[in-house]
C-alpha cells in the first residue's frame, strides 16, 4: 500500500483546529469580556445598539438566578416560535416545493403500519432537538421542510442556541472569577452572535459556496436520468436550497443538523475534499477556542491548559481507536470473495473510511452530530468510541456546554484530591462544600440516569425492541446510541433505528430537554455559589489545579466515573457485538 | 504568659521530656483489636442493624435493604423448591450481605468503643467527691455536699490531699495541684488566684496548701463531661466535609443503583431474566461500601487521636478545621525558644584572655541563682575551674534595683561586677576607669543579633562582655520547615522589642513575628489574616487571651489557663504544651486525607468487580463475554463462584481497612502535589489492582468449597 493522502485527515482534523483555537479564543476573550471601560465603545457599540433596539438601555447586573431566568425565558420563546413555524410552514413564504406542515408527517409504527396525518410528536421532537442545540433529526430536511423553515427555524436556532450555551459559560466564568455580577444574558448573546458566529459563518458560507455548495431559494430540480429506463425512473427530483448558509453554522456551532437527511455525506452538503476538510475543522474549533478564552478570562492559562489537555487526550485516543478499527474490514465481508479493505459500509465513497472514522470520533466528542458516514455501519469498536464520547460528554462537547460539563467532573476531582491532600477542597481559591458537591453530583448523575433508564425501558419493550434494524447486541447498540446522542445533545444516530414513532419522539424529546437545561443551569447555580465565597489564599498545602498531577486526576475521574456508569451497557452493546463478530 | 508552671520539678532536657510524653501517650494508646473492645463492638454491631440508626448512613442503609430483599427472594426459592445450587448461592449471598452491614457497624462500634475507653479512663476521675461548700468567701463556715450538687458560682474550700470537686477558678489562695489524672504528667503544677494560672479541673488533687475555688460548670457540664459525651457519640454531629462526602457517596450509590437497575430490562432485550439477588450483589459490590462503612469510624478516630495527644476538641468540626489552618501564632518563650536566655559566648576586651574573662564572669555569678547566672557558670566551667577558686571571706553583692548590677568582692580587694552594659559603663566612668576600645560596638553587635549583652568589670576596667542568647528548641527550625511544606505560615509572638524579635525570628525561620505583643495586637493580627481569607490557629492561657482565642479559627487553650481562656477556645490542651498546635494541624489533615484516600480506594475497586460479575451474569446468553473475565474465575457452577468472590472481597476489605481508618493515612509534610501523587498511587492505582488479586484468590478458595456442597 502506497502512501494514502487520506491519512492526512486525522492530522488536519486535529492540527488545524488546535492552531486556530488560539487566535479565535483570544479574540473571543477580547470581544466577549470587554474591560468595563471598553463596554459599548468601539466595536462593542454594535451589540449594545442591537440590544437597545430590543429595549435594553444598558447591561443589567444579573446574579445567577436572573441569568438563568433570562436563559430559560429566551429558550421558551424559541420553543413557542419555532413550534408554530414548523407546524404552519405551508402557510408561510419560501416554500417553492409546497411542503406541508411538519405536523402532518405521519409515521410507521412498530408493526410496520403507516400512520399518515397528524402527529405532533415529530414537531415536538424537532423543536426540542434544535432548541437544545442537539439537532437530532427524525425527519429529512430536504423532504419535509420549506426553505423558510430551514432558514427561519433551523438556521436561526443553529445560531442562537450555541450562542446561549456560550453565554452561560461566560456567566459561569465570571462567577468562578468572583465577579460581582454574572453579566447580562442578552448582551452576552448579542456579542456572541455579532462577534463570533456572524463573521465566521459569512466567511465559511462563502468558502463553501466557492467549493460548489448550493445556495438558492429555487425549488427542487426535476431531471430526466440518462438511464431512466434501466432505473425505472422517468424523472428524478433533485433537492437543493439555501444549503451553504446552513452547512456553515451547522458545523461551527456544534449543531450538526443537516439540510439533507444524509447530512455531510450528501454531495450538496459536502461537495469536495476541501469542503470536507473545512467542515471537519469547523467541528471542534469553537469548543477548543472557548477553553483558550477560559484561560484568559480566569487569568489562569495553566488551569485552562489542563482542561484543554484532558479533553484533547480523550479526543486523540478516540480518533486513533476509531480510525484503527475502521481501516479493518467489516466482519460482514469476511470470507466473501471481495478485497478485504477498510470498512466501507455506510461510507461516502469520496470521503473514505479514514475520513469517516475521524469525523465520527470528532462529531461525537463535540456535541456536533453531523456525519459524513453512517455510524450504524461503523465496526463495533469504532461505534463504541462514538458512543463513549457521547456518554462521557466532556470531550470538548458543546461550545460552552462542554466546559460546563467538565466543570462538574472538576468539582468531583477537586473534592477527592483535596481531601487526599488533607485540606477542605478548594477550586480556584473557593472552598468546595456540601452545596457545590450536591450540584455537581446531580449533574453527573443525570447523564447515566437518562441514558440507562431510557435505553433499559426501550430495550425491554416494543417501543425500542421492535424498531431496531438488527437483532442482538447491534440492535441494542442502536437504542443505546439514540438515548446517548439525545442526552449528550449530539444529534447523530445509529440510523438503522426506526425512530420516527411517537414513543421515540416523545422519549428522546424529553431526554433532550433534560440533557440540556439541568446540565447548563446546575453549573450556573454552582458558579453563583462559588462567586459569593471568600477567596482562600494559595499555600504550599493547597491542591494545584494547574499541573500534570491534576491533569491525571481529572482524566482518571472522568474515565472511572464514565467507565463505571456505562461499562455494563457498553459490554452488552458494542463489546458483545464485536466479540460475536470475531467468533470463528 | 506561658511560664513554666511546674514547681520543684528539675528542668528536663527536651528529649527527656519528649520521651516522657511519648511514654504517657503510649499508655493511653490502645491496641486496635483489643479483645474486650472487639467483643463489645461485635455485640453492638447487631444492635445497630436497627434501620432507624442505619438511615444515618445512606450507603450502608442501601446494603441493608438489599440484604432484606435477597433474604425474601431466598425464602421464595426455598419454598418454591428451586435447584439446590441456587438455594445455596442465594443463602450465601444473603449471609454475605448481612456480614457486610455487620462489618460496617463493627467498624463504627469499635471506633466508638475506643473513644469510650479513653473517656472512661477520664471519667474515673469524675467520681462523686464530697465538697466543702463555703457560705461566703470570707467565712470559714459551710457544709459538706456531694459534688453533684454544686452549681456555677458556688465556692468550695479544697485543702491539701483533697480532690477538687468540679471545674472552677481559684479565687483565693495558692496551691500545688497534681493533675496527673488528666494529663498523665506526674509533676505538680501551681494554681493560684488571679493571673493566668487560676483554672482548676475537677478530679485533680490538691497536694499542698488550701485554695478556694469558684465552681464554673454545672454538674455534667464540665469539659470532661462534654468531651466524654462527644467521644461517645452522643452529640457527635457530622462535620461539613463529612456531609459533603456523604452526598458524594450517596450520589455514587444512586448512579450504581441506576446502572444495576437498568441491567434488568436491558437483559430482557437479550431474553434473559436476571436473578434479583445477583443484581443486588452487583449493586453492593459497586456502591462505595468500603468508605461508607468506615466513614463514621474515621471521624470518631480523628477525635480519638486528638484525645490521645491529650487535646480535648469541643467538636469534631474543630479537629477537621485544624487541617485547613494557614497561619499559626506561636509564643516565642516555651515554644520556639527554651524558657530562659543562656550565656553562649565570652567576648573579652582590652587584652584580657578568654580564660580570664570566663573566670571573672564565673566568680561574679557564683551566688547568682537566676537561670541566666547559672548559665554563665555552665559556660565558664569547662574553660576554668571556677568552683574551687572562691576564697573564703568573699563577699557577694546581690542584684538590687538601685545598683542594677551584681558581683563579688574577693578578700584580696578585687571587685568583680556584672550588669547591663550602660550601667556598668557608668560605674566605670564614675571611678575614672578604663572602658576598652570596641566596647560599645561589641555591645551593639550582640544586641543587633537578638542577644542580650552583659558586661563584666574587674575593679575599674571592663574586661569583656557575655553574650546571653535565646536558645532555640532543638529541631524547631526543621519543624518550621515541615510546617512551611505543609503550607502553613508560622508567626512568632513575643514581648521582645522588634529588633530582638526580628533576629530570633530569622534564626528560628518563622515567617513573621509580632513584637512587643499585647493581646490587642494578637487580636488585630488574627483579624487581618482572616480578612485575607486565612484560617488562624493560636494557643493561649490568659484571660486576656480570650478574645484572640475566640477570634482564631482554632483556639487552643491550655488546661493550666483560666476558665475564660478555656471557654473561648475550641480545644483544650491538657498538657499545656505550646508546640501542640503543630500536632493539632497534623491530626486534622490526617482526618481529611483518610477520608479522601479510602473514598478513592473504594471507587477504584469497582473496576475489578465489573470484570468479575458482568461476564458471570451473562454467561448463559452472551458466552462471548467470557473474554472479559481477565481474572479467569471459575465458571463451572453457573459462575456463582465469581460473584460470591466479588461480594466476599467487598465485605472483608472493610475489617481489613479498619486499622487504616482508625490510625489514619500517614501524613507527610511534602507539599500538596507530592502528597496527592503518593495517595493516588497507593489508594487510586492500588485500589484498581488490589481487588483483581483479592477476588482471584478468594475464587481459588471458594470454588472447591462450592464443589463440596454440590454446586459444581
Amino acid at each position: 500500500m502506497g502512501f494514502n493522502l487520506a491519512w492526512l485527515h486525522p492530522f488536519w482534523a486535529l492540527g488545524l483546529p488546535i492552531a486556530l483555537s488560539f487566535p479565535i479564543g483570544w479574540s473571543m476573550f477580547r470581544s466577549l469580556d470587554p474591560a468595563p471601560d471598553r463596554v459599548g465603545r468601539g466595536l462593542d457599540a454594535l451589540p449594545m445598539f442591537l440590544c437597545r433596539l430590543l429595549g435594553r438601555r444598558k447591561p443589567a447586573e444579573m446574579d445567577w438566578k436572573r441569568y438563568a431566568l433570562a436563559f430559560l425565558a429566551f429558550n421558551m420563546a424559541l420553543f413557542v416560535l419555532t413550534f408554530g413555524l414548523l407546524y404552519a410552514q405551508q402557510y408561510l413564504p419560501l416554500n417553492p416545493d409546497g411542503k406541508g406542515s411538519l405536523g402532518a408527517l405521519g409515521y410507521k409504527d412498530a408493526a410496520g403500519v403507516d400512520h399518515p396525518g397528524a402527529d405532533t410528536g415529530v414537531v415536538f421532537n424537532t423543536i426540542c432537538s434544535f432548541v437544545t442545540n442537539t439537532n437530532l433529526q427524525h425527519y429529512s430536511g430536504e423532504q419535509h421542510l420549506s426553505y423558510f423553515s430551514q432558514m427561519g427555524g433551523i438556521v436561526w436556532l443553529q445560531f442562537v442556541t450555541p450562542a446561549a450555551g456560550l453565554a452561560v459559560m461566560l456567566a459561569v466564568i465570571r462567577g468562578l472569577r468572583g465577579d460581582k455580577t454574572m453579566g447580562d444574558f442578552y448582551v452576552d448573546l448579542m456579542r456572541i452572535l455579532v462577534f463570533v458566529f456572524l463573521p465566521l459563518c459569512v466567511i465559511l458560507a462563502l468558502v463553501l459556496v466557492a467549493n460548489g455548495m448550493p445556495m438558492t431559494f429555487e425549488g427542487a430540480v426535476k431531471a430526466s436520468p440518462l438511464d431512466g429506463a434501466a432505473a425505472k425512473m422517468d424523472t428524478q427530483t433533485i433537492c437543493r436550497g439555501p444549503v451553504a448558509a446552513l452547512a456553515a453554522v451547522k458545523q461551527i456551532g456544534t449543531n450538526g443538523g443537516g439540510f439533507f437527511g444524509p447530512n455531510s455525506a450528501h454531495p450538496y452538503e459536502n461537495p469536495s475534499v476541501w469542503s470536507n476538510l473545512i467542515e471537519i475543522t469547523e467541528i471542534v474549533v469553537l469548543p477548543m477556542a472557548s477553553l483558550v478564552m477560559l484561560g484568559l478570562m480566569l487569568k489562569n492559562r495553566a488551569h485552562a491548559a489542563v482542561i484543554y489537555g484532558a479533553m484533547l487526550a480523550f479526543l486523540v485516543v478516540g480518533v486513533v481507536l476509531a480510525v484503527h478499527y475502521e481501516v479493518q474490514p467489516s466482519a460482514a465481508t469476511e470470507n466473501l470473495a471481495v478485497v478485504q479493505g477498510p470498512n466501507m459500509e455506510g461510507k461516502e465513497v469520496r470521503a473514505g473510511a479514514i475520513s469517516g472514522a475521524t469525523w465520527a470520533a470528532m462529531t461525537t466528542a463535540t456535541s456536533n452530530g453531523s456525519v459524513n458516514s453512517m455510524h450504524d455501519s461503523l465496526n463495533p469498536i469504532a461505534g463504541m468510541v462514538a458512543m463513549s464520547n457521547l456518554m462521557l460528554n466532556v470531550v470538548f462537547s458543546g461550545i460552552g456546554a462542554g466546559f460546563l460539563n467538565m466543570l462538574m467532573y472538576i468539582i468531583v476531582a477537586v473534592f477527592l484530591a483535596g481531601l487526599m491532600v488533607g485540606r477542605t477542597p478548594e477550586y480556584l481559591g473557593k472552598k468546595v462544600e456540601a452545596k457545590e458537591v450536591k450540584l455537581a453530583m446531580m449533574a453527573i448523575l443525570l447523564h447515566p440516569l437518562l441514558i440507562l433508564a431510557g435505553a433499559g425501558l426501550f430495550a425491554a419493550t416494543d417501543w425500542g425492541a421492535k424498531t431496531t434494524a438488527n437483532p442482538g447486541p447491534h440492535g441494542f447498540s442502536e437504542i443505546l446510541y439514540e438515548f446517548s446522542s439525545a442526552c449528550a445533545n449530539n444529534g447523530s444516530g445509529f440510523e438503522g433505528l426506526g425512530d420516527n414513532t411517537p414513543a421515540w419522539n416523545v422519549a428522546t424529546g424529553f431526554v433532550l430537554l433534560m440533557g440540556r437545561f439541568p446540565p447548563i443551569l446546575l453549573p450556573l447555580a454552582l458558579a453563583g455559589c462559588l462567586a459569593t465565597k471568600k477567596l482562600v489564599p494559595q499555600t504550599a498545602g493547597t491542591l494545584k489545579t494547574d499541573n500534570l498531577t491534576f491533569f491525571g486526576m481529572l482524566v482518571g475521574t472522568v474515565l472511572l466515573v464514565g467507565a463505571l456508569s456505562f461499562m455494563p451497557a457498553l459490554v452488552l452493546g458494542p463489546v458483545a457485538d464485536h466479540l460475536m463478530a470475531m467468533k470463528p | 504568659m506561658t511560664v513554666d508552671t511546674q514547681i520543684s520539678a528539675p528542668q528536663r532536657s527536651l528529649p527527656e521530656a519528649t520521651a516522657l510524653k511519648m511514654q504517657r501517650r503510649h499508655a493511653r494508646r490502645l491496641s486496635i483489636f483489643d479483645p474486650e473492645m472487639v467483643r463489645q463492638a461485635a455485640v453492638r454491631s447487631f444492635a445497630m442493624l436497627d434501620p432507624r440508626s442505619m438511615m444515618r448512613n445512606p450507603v450502608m442503609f442501601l446494603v441493608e435493604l438489599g440484604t432484606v430483599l435477597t433474604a425474601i427472594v431466598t425464602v421464595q426459592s426455598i419454598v418454591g423448591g428451586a435447584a439446590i445450587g441456587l438455594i445455596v448461592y442465594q443463602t450465601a449471598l444473603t449471609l454475605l450481605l448481612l456480614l457486610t452491614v455487620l462489618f460496617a457497624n463493627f467498624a463504627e462500634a469499635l471506633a466508638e468503643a475506643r473513644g469510650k475507653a479513653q473517656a472512661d479512663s477520664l471519667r474515673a476521675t469524675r467520681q462523686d467527691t464530697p465538697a466543702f461548700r463555703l457560705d461566703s468567701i470570707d467565712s470559714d463556715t459551710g457544709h459538706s455536699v456531694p459534688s453533684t450538687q454544686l452549681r456555677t458560682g458556688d465556692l468550695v474550700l479544697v485543702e491539701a490531699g483533697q480532690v477538687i470537686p468540679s471545674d472552677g477558678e481559684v479565687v483565693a489562695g495558692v496551691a500545688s495541684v497534681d493533675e496527673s489524672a488528666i494529663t498523665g504528667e506526674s509533676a505538680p503544677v501551681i494554681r493560684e488566684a488571679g493571673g493566668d494560672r487560676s483554672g482548676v479541673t475537677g478530679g485533680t488533687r490538691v497536694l499542698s496548701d488550701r485554695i478556694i475555688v469558684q465552681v464554673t460548670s454545672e454538674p455534667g457540664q464540665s469539659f470532661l463531661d462534654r468531651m466524654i459525651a462527644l467521644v461517645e457519640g452522643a452529640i457527635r454531629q457530622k462535620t461539613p466535609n463529612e456531609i459533603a462526602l456523604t452526598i458524594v457517596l450517596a450520589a455514587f450509590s444512586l448512579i450504581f443503583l441506576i446502572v444495576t437497575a437498568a441491567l434488568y430490562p436491558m437483559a430482557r432485550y437479550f431474553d434473559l431474566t436476571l436473578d434479583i439477588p445477583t443484581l443486588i450483589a452487583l449493586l453492593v459490590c459497586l456502591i462505595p461500601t468500603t468508605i461508607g462503612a468506615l466513614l463514621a469510624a474515621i471521624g470518631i478516630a480523628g477525635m480519638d487521636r486528638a484525645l490521645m495527644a491529650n487535646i480535648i476538641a469541643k467538636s469534631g468540626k474543630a479537629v477537621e478545621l485544624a487541617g485547613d489552618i494557614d497561619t499559626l501564632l506561636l509564643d516565642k518563650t516555651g515554644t520556639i525558644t527554651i524558657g530562659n536566655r543562656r550565656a553562649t559566648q565570652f567576648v573579652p576586651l582590652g587584652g584580657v584572655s578568654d580564660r580570664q574573662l570566663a573566670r571573672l564572669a564565673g566568680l561574679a555569678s557564683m551566688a547568682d541563682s537566676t537561670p541566666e547566672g547559672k548559665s554563665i557558670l555552665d559556660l565558664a566551667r569547662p574553660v576554668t575551674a571556677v568552683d574551687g577558686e572562691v576564697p573564703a571571706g568573699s563577699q557577694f553583692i546581690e542584684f538590687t534595683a538601685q545598683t542594677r548590677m551584681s558581683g563579688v568582692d574577693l578578700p584580696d580587694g578585687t571587685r568583680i561586677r556584672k550588669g547591663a552594659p550602660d550601667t556598668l559603663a557608668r560605674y566605670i566612668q564614675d571611678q575614672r576607669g578604663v572602658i576598652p576600645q570596641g566596647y560599645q560596638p561589641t555591645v551593639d553587635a550582640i544586641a543587633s543579633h537578638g542577644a542580650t549583652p552583659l558586661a563584666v568589670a574587674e575593679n575599674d576596667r571592663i574586661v569583656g562582655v557575655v553574650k546571653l542568647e535565646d536558645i532555640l528548641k532543638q529541631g524547631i527550625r526543621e519543624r518550621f520547615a515541615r510546617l512551611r511544606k505543609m503550607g502553613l505560615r508560622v508567626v512568632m509572638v513575643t514581648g521582645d522589642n522588634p529588633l530582638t524579635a526580628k533576629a530570633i525570628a530569622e534564626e528560628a525561620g518563622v515567617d513573621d513575628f509580632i513584637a512587643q505583643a499585647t493581646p490587642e495586637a494578637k487580636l488585630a493580627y488574627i483579624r487581618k489574616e482572616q480578612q485575607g481569607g486565612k484560617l488562624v490557629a493560636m494557643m493561649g492561657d490568659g484571660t486576656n487571651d480570650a478574645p484572640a482565642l475566640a477570634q482564631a479559627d482554632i483556639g487552643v487553650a491550655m488546661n493550666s489557663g483560666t476558665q475564660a481562656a478555656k471557654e473561648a477556645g475550641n480545644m483544650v490542651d491538657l498538657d499545656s504544651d505550646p508546640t501542640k498546635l503543630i500536632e493539632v494541624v497534623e491530626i486534622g489533615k490526617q482526618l481529611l486525607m483518610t477520608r479522601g484516600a479510602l473514598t478513592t480506594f473504594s471507587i477504584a475497586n469497582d473496576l475489578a468487580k465489573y470484570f468479575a460479575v458482568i461476564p458471570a451474569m451473562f454467561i448463559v446468553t452472551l458466552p462471548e463475554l467470557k473474554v472479559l473475565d481477565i481474572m479467569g474465575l471459575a465458571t463451572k457452577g453457573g459462575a456463582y463462584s465469581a460473584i460470591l468472590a466479588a461480594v466476599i472481597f467487598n465485605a472483608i476489605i472493610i475489617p481489613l481497612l479498619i486499622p487504616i481508618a482508625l490510625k489514619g493515612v500517614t501524613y507527610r509534610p511534602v507539599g500538596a502535589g507530592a502528597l496527592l501523587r503518593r495517595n493516588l498511587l497507593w489508594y487510586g492505582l492500588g485500589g484498581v489492582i488490589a481487588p483483581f488479586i483479592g477476588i482471584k484468590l478468594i475464587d481459588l478458595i471458594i470454588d472447591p468449597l462450592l464443589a463440596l456442597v454440590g454446586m459444581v
Side-chain angles (χ1 to χ4, degrees), chain A residues 41 56 95 158 205 249 371 514 559 564 575:
Chain A
R41 308 176 67 164
R56 298 187 74 79
N95 190 2
Q158 290 187 335
V249 72
V371 294
M514 290 302 288
L559 214 54
L564 294 177
V575 173

Side-chain angles (χ1 to χ4, degrees), chain A residues 420 423-424 472 549 564 583, chain B residues 241 269 324 610 624 677 679:
Chain A
M420 273 193 283
R423 272 176 83 91
T424 297
T549 309
L564 294 177
K583 232 178 11 184
Chain B
N241 275 315
Y269 176 90
D324 289 347
Y610 267 142
E624 296 83 6
R677 279 190 292 277
N679 282 332

Side-chain angles (χ1 to χ4, degrees), chain B residues 38-55:
Chain B
V38 167
R39 196 191 58 78
Q40 277 179 18
V43 172
R44 229 185 104 56
S45 37
F46 283 92
M48 285 162 76
L49 286 175
D50 183 344
R52 280 166 301 181
S53 76
M54 289 299 295
M55 254 163 25

Side-chain angles (χ1 to χ4, degrees), chain A residues 412 415-425 431-435 437-438 441 444-445 448-449 451-453 455-457 459-460 465 468 470-476 479-480 534-537 539-544 547 549-550 552-553 560-561 563-569 571-573 575-576 579-580 583, chain B residues 240-241 243-245 247-248 251-252 254-256 258-259 262-263 265-270 286 320-321 323-326 484-488 530-535 588-590 592-597 599-600 603-604 606-607 610-611 614 618 622 624-625 627-628 667 671-673 675-677 679-680 683 688:
Chain A
V412 173
F415 183 76
L416 292 179
L419 286 182
M420 273 193 283
V421 302
R423 272 176 83 91
T424 297
K431 285 213 156 131
V432 174
E433 288 163 303
K435 196 167 175 196
V437 162
K438 194 192 292 173
M441 287 313 292
I444 289 180
L445 186 108
L449 173 65
I451 294 175
L452 297 177
L457 181 65
T468 59
N470 304 68
H474 195 77
F476 178 72
I479 295 171
L480 188 61
K534 217 162 40 167
L535 205 64
V536 182
T539 72
T542 312
L543 171 80
K544 298 262 185 305
N547 57 17
T549 309
F550 188 72
M553 183 76 202
L560 202 62
V561 174
L564 294 177
S565 306
F566 294 107
M567 192 173 132
V571 164
L572 293 182
V575 173
L579 293 173
M580 285 168 94
K583 232 178 11 184
Chain B
N241 275 315
I243 294 171
L245 185 55
I247 292 171
V248 170
F252 271 116
L254 214 52
I255 289 178
F256 293 123
I258 295 163
V259 170
L263 267 179
M266 285 177 183
R268 293 290 306 137
Y269 176 90
F270 295 93
L286 294 179
E320 185 179 284
L321 197 63
D324 289 347
I325 291 299
D326 300 293
R484 201 160 301 116
K485 275 196 176 153
M486 286 158 70
L488 272 85
Q530 286 173 335
Q531 262 157 24
K534 291 188 178 140
L535 297 183
K589 286 196 179 292
Q590 217 182 10
L592 295 180
M593 271 173 48
T594 311
R595 288 200 195 122
T599 305
T600 307
I603 294 170
D606 285 0
L607 209 59
Y610 267 142
F611 281 101
I614 295 285
F618 290 93
L622 296 169
E624 296 83 6
L625 295 184
V627 185
L628 294 179
Y667 178 78
L675 207 55
L676 178 61
R677 279 190 292 277
N679 282 332
L680 273 181
Y683 296 95
V688 170

Side-chain angles (χ1 to χ4, degrees), chain A residues 3 87 129 193 252 273 321 341 393 534:
Chain A
F3 177 71
Y87 211 79
S129 157
L193 289 174
I252 197 83
V273 132
L321 278 178
N393 204 18
K534 217 162 40 167

Side-chain angles (χ1 to χ4, degrees), chain A residues 180-195:
Chain A
K180 275 208 297 289
T181 159
M182 298 188 93
D184 180 325
F185 173 73
Y186 297 100
V187 172
D188 284 339
L189 192 70
M190 203 58 90
R191 281 199 188 118
I192 293 165
L193 289 174
V194 170
F195 294 128

Side-chain angles (χ1 to χ4, degrees), chain B residues 56-97:
Chain B
R56 273 170 56 88
N57 183 341
V59 179
M60 295 319 295
F61 184 60
L62 197 57
V63 181
E64 191 176 37
L65 285 183
T67 313
V68 172
L69 207 58
T70 311
I72 293 171
V73 175
T74 309
V75 170
Q76 271 181 352
S77 300
I78 296 169
V79 173
I84 183 75
L86 187 69
I87 291 174
V88 171
Y89 163 71
Q90 290 184 343
T91 312
L93 265 188
T94 311
L95 293 175
L96 285 171
L97 295 184

